[in-house]
Amino acid sequence: MRGARHARWAACAVAAVLAPTACGTGVGAGGAAGVLTSSWGDPQNPLEPANTNEVQGGKVLDMIFRGLKRYDPRTGKAENMLAESIETRDSRNFTVTVKDGWKFSNGEPVTARSFVDAWNYGASLRNNQKNAYFFGYIEGYDKVHPESGAQRADTLSGLKVTGPRTFTVRLGQKFSTFPDTLGYPAFAPLPRAFFTDHAAWVSKPVGNGPYRIESYTKGSAMALRKWDAYPGEDKARNDGVTLMVYTDSNTAYTDVLAGNLDLVDDVPATQLKNVRTDLDGRYINTPAGILQTLAFPYYDKKWDTGGARKVRTGLSMAINRRQITETLFRNTRTPATDWTSPVLGAEGGYQAGLCGSACDYDPARARELIREGGGIPGGQVKITYNADTGSHKQWVDAVCNSINNALGNDKACVGNPIGTFADFRNQIGRHKMAGPFRAGWQMDYPLIQNFLQPLYYTGASSNDGQWSNKDFDRLVDRANAETDRAKAVRLFQQAEGVVRDNMAAIPLWYQNGSAGYSQRLSNVALNPFSVPVYDEIKVG
């Protein structure tokens, strides 16, 4: 999932749209005793489950939807939620039974058809959903979403409703860990209202989770309120959450200190030296499945040559990761030595040191490799990033300073800011990057496959730089087909080795989740995805 976004906002000015407020009084901008307020940014796309692949939209989907699986908010383990059972004998054909008694917040029952219709919609080429590729494992995807030409089928042949609460899934190949992917929001069920009046649903999405959306003013705030009839065991312990749009995390942080905001879930780097004192212990710093990298535009042929591979490796060796993480991020980041995350653990595929010397700071070798590779394409590295939060500018400047110092050239690297996250993402989508660009990745589900295939597989939807390597693709295909989990992990690690050998992207650091909160809140925690566990937070 693409990196978190923040938008700028004046807290009190907008809160009046939703409810009377008491800015600065410690009551919180939500205006209600049991409602908490949290920093947020407008989603890039409409909140259709299969069309949301960035953090801010994902936060909302996590609150208003529940799927077949849910990732444990502490361990990340995939556990049955709406799935009564998911059975298979061959890791290719699965029979799914949906629990009885579940409803959407509009009163519609959640049935097998709720899932099958949603997945068919998400896979369809006509619907242009960002997460369509998640359904690519299911048989018939090549006809519903062909790589070229018109759509040749309306539904996935591998999906069959066999009863009110049962359906079958046939994959195009064996994929032993397929059930573990089903906690990702793209696989959420949808009510009939989504299809019968799509425009109305998009304007006010209806789900089956512990919260329902009450109102949303783009650029201002979204009000979510507890759904009292929610049938799950993870009922909200508060009356609601108002997500308030900010473009500056420093402003959000100071609003928490002033009592105008209850929760900021990304403490800015400039505040880290004071945060423990400022918040008197109301600060969270926990490991998360987030990796920051520099991606490259391989559609620009200057970056897609044998010489450029040496240049990319040289640039990696010109970055003093340890110094940056210690001085700028004050150990809320850890220098990356592979392309996954330590939260996976060794059994899950994390392999410390996989990057080897290519991720070590070595100015002499960096200069040598860049010289051997023919020099930096265009003569200067321009790192593109979204400027609507202070922390990206700081670390980009730090990375450029490190590169400039290593190369002995104070103009070798410069930052290239783009005003907003939306503009940044739109330019990436239009393949307008002229050099390396910020590419934070937050895991969708805790599998090594998720750190590799969406980002580096040929044609994958989050392969923004359009990198392509047949050896990598082949190893990923073999790993997905492997029924033995340990063997699959080893194959994925081999595929990761191909990423390393080509320096397809430069890994920078693993990111911890950080949050600060007001005195009104208790039982605040972040899950392994660095998202607040909103339903467990208590107010008052």
Side-chain angles (χ1 to χ4, degrees), residues 47-53 61 118 121-123 129-132 135 185-187:
L47 290 171
E48 299 165 302
N51 206 30
T52 296
N53 64 349
L61 297 185
Y121 179 90
Q129 299 288 282
K130 296 287 186 182
N131 290 325
F135 307 100
F187 294 104

Side-chain angles (χ1 to χ4, degrees), residues 363-383:
R365 182 59 176 153
R367 291 192 295 270
E368 182 179 359
L369 283 170
I370 291 172
R371 185 171 59 252
E372 290 176 1
I376 296 170
Q380 186 179 60
V381 175
K382 293 183 178 180
I383 300 177

